Amino acid sequence: MISIAHLGPSGTYAELAALYYVSWLTKNTKIEASLSPYPSIFQTLCSVAKGESDLAVVPVENSIQGGVTVTLDTLWQLDNLQIQLALVVPITHSLISRSESLDSIETVYSHPQALAQCQKWLEKHLPKVQLVPTNSTTEGLEKLENLQAAAISSLRAAQLYNLPTLANGINDYPENCTRFWVVSQPGNTPNHEILKDGAFYTSLAFSVPANLPGVLVKPLQVFANQDINLSKIESRPTKRSLGEYLFFMDLEADVSSNEMQSALAALSNYTEILKIFGSYNVLPIESL
């Protein structure tokens, strides 16, 4: 039995992603799994780093709002975590409330990402409400004893907590989806050999010695020289000094390939600290 940590409480999209992963895992292996909710993404990842959980399923990027910065920052801070797999989950938001109509809603609770993904709908239908961020999309459901309150969460969460919905599919873009990473300590992972035939990605991050002209061009040229496609790049502050940044990259290549090994050897000449978070495949949505 392996334990899988995720952002809780029950009903979050992270739990849904974890359930999808468990369904795929148990269908393709003999491994059994149990889910463990945590109050924050940071605590979810720390539970794996401390050995309290075997795996964590955490969001890393949304198709509307971009990177989930707490996931990136925590992976940089913790030294013993490795990405094992990615999965993409469609996200459809609902407005949940005990109120009888939108007119009586004064406050809407949800995770900041969910609030941002529904901002056009909220501006059109609830332009005067107070938006209150929460740690997860289900945390705000605890506030719904107040008939003037609403929460943005999933239809699944509404059903789990036996709560009525006022509107469904309120995200601004219908193709809204979130990419999740399955993370573990190195070597502590189920066998994903069944996915070996698919395209691999490698995620890494690095800091640079100084903020000088060309300091990012040179690392990028390293991958171009090896004909390795860069599928994502994102900067995050080092938290040491204003204007200093870390650079997170997703590359379309396996870290064990000759091209990646050559690129990484050259990359070390231009970086201060380099961290390889792992090579992994993406579990197709149709497999879930």
Side-chain angles (χ1 to χ4, degrees):
M1 176 76 71
I2 63 170
S3 58
I4 300 177
H6 64 84
L7 177 64
S10 184
T12 62
Y13 294 101
E15 182 190 53
L16 178 61
L19 288 170
Y20 279 145
Y21 173 68
V22 169
S23 175
W24 175 86
L25 185 67
T26 55
K27 183 172 65 175
N28 291 281
T29 73
K30 296 181 179 180
I31 297 172
E32 296 183 354
S34 62
L35 300 186
S36 301
Y38 282 82
S40 70
I41 293 173
F42 177 79
Q43 289 171 282
T44 300
L45 287 168
C46 283
S47 74
V48 177
K50 295 176 181 176
E52 297 172 357
S53 305
D54 297 307
L55 299 170
V57 176
V58 290
V60 64
E61 182 183 18
N62 177 260
S63 59
I64 298 174
Q65 287 300 305
V68 181
T69 56
V70 64
T71 298
L72 299 178
D73 290 348
T74 306
L75 276 179
W76 178 265
Q77 293 169 24
L78 301 174
D79 292 326
N80 59 338
L81 295 180
Q82 189 171 42
I83 303 163
Q84 304 293 348
L85 192 68
L87 57 157
V88 178
V89 177
I91 304 295
T92 303
H93 293 303
S94 298
L95 187 75
I96 303 170
S97 177
R98 298 183 189 274
S99 174
E100 294 184 357
S101 70
L102 293 177
D103 295 336
S104 58
I105 301 298
E106 296 181 357
T107 308
V108 175
Y109 298 89
S110 197
H111 189 275
Q113 282 263 345
L115 293 173
Q117 291 162 26
C118 303
Q119 58 187 344
K120 292 181 181 179
W121 189 93
L122 290 168
E123 180 62 29
K124 179 179 179 180
H125 297 280
L126 296 170
K128 297 182 180 179
V129 300
Q130 180 185 11
L131 303 180
V132 180
T134 57
N135 288 326
S136 72
T137 52
T138 52
E139 185 178 284
L141 301 179
E142 302 170 359
K143 311 288 186 180
L144 298 190
E145 292 299 327
N146 179 358
L147 297 183
Q148 297 174 320
I152 294 175
S153 190
S154 66
L155 183 60
R156 173 176 174 270
Q159 294 167 346
L160 283 174
Y161 292 94
N162 195 28
L163 291 167
T165 60
L166 288 180
N168 294 313
I170 67 171
N171 33 285
D172 296 331
Y173 299 92
E175 299 302 318
N176 187 19
C177 59
T178 295
R179 181 163 57 108
F180 291 81
W181 278 339
V182 178
V183 179
S184 74
Q185 291 192 28
N188 186 19
T189 177
N191 189 343
H192 294 147
E193 291 294 325
I194 191 172
L195 292 170
K196 283 292 186 182
D197 293 335
F200 261 74
Y201 293 83
T202 295
S203 292
L204 56 82
F206 59 84
S207 60
V208 293
N211 186 12
L212 298 173
V215 73
L216 185 55
V217 171
K218 293 174 182 177
L220 292 177
Q221 190 62 50
V222 164
F223 296 109
N225 291 342
Q226 295 294 330
D227 199 29
I228 296 173
N229 190 45
L230 175 67
S231 59
K232 180 189 174 186
I233 183 170
E234 185 166 349
S235 63
R236 293 291 299 147
T238 63
K239 300 177 175 55
R240 297 182 305 197
S241 177
L242 186 65
E244 289 188 4
Y245 294 94
L246 311 170
F247 298 97
F248 290 79
M249 292 183 179
D250 291 347
L251 301 145
E252 295 180 5
D254 191 334
V255 72
S256 64
S257 68
N258 293 334
E259 294 81 4
M260 273 295 292
Q261 287 297 305
S262 297
L264 293 174
L267 184 64
S268 62
N269 296 320
Y270 305 113
T271 59
E272 178 189 35
I273 300 173
L274 172 62
K275 293 191 176 185
I276 312 298
F277 297 129
S279 285
Y280 54 92
N281 210 319
V282 178
L283 189 63
I285 293 177
E286 57 267 23
S287 297
L288 302 177

